[in-house]
Each structure stands twice: as structure tokens, then as C-alpha cells.
Amino acid sequence: GMALIGLPVAIGALGFTEAGIAAGSIAAKMMSAAAIANGGGVATGSIVAVLQSIGAAGFSLGTTIGLTAALGSAGAASG
């Protein structure tokens, strides 16, 4: 449960926000590196694109359910 709350907060702290990538942030540096590597654009499905999607909109219901199941199974296995 805490991971589902903490992860979006951590992503926001990196600079992936609802309003876009924050200037001067780690996210901005990641986006710049990704754009340089891809000839000027950020590839769909790349880590930068996924993190920005989460920063802008949070987790979808499907992602939340999937993460809850995966984290719950991992917790049960480690316990």
C-alpha cells in the first residue's frame, strides 16, 4: 500500500509532474539524454515517457490492481 502512495510522490520529486517535466530537475536531465539518444524525441514506452505519464496522471486502475497483486505476492513470499 505504501509503495502505491510513495512511488508517485517519488516520481514527482524527480520532476515528473502533472504540469510536465520540471525545469532543472532530474527528470529534465533524463529527458534531455533520451532525446539526444533518439535523435531529438523521447521514444514512446521509454522510461522517461512512462514516468511522465505516471507523474501527469498517477497510476491507472489496472496498474494499481496489478501492482497491488504483485507487491502483495512479493510480501507474502518474503514473509
Side-chain angles (χ1 to χ4, degrees):
M2 288 303 293
L4 294 178
I5 295 168
L7 191 57
V9 171
I11 290 170
L14 291 174
F16 296 99
T17 70
E18 290 181 17
I21 292 179
S25 66
I26 291 171
K29 290 175 179 57
M30 290 173 67
M31 186 175 112
S32 176
I36 290 168
N38 289 305
V42 176
T44 301
S46 69
I47 190 70
V48 173
V50 170
L51 291 173
Q52 182 51 41
S53 292
I54 294 168
F59 288 123
S60 68
L61 179 59
T63 302
T64 301
I65 292 168
L67 284 172
T68 301
L71 293 172
S73 297
S78 67

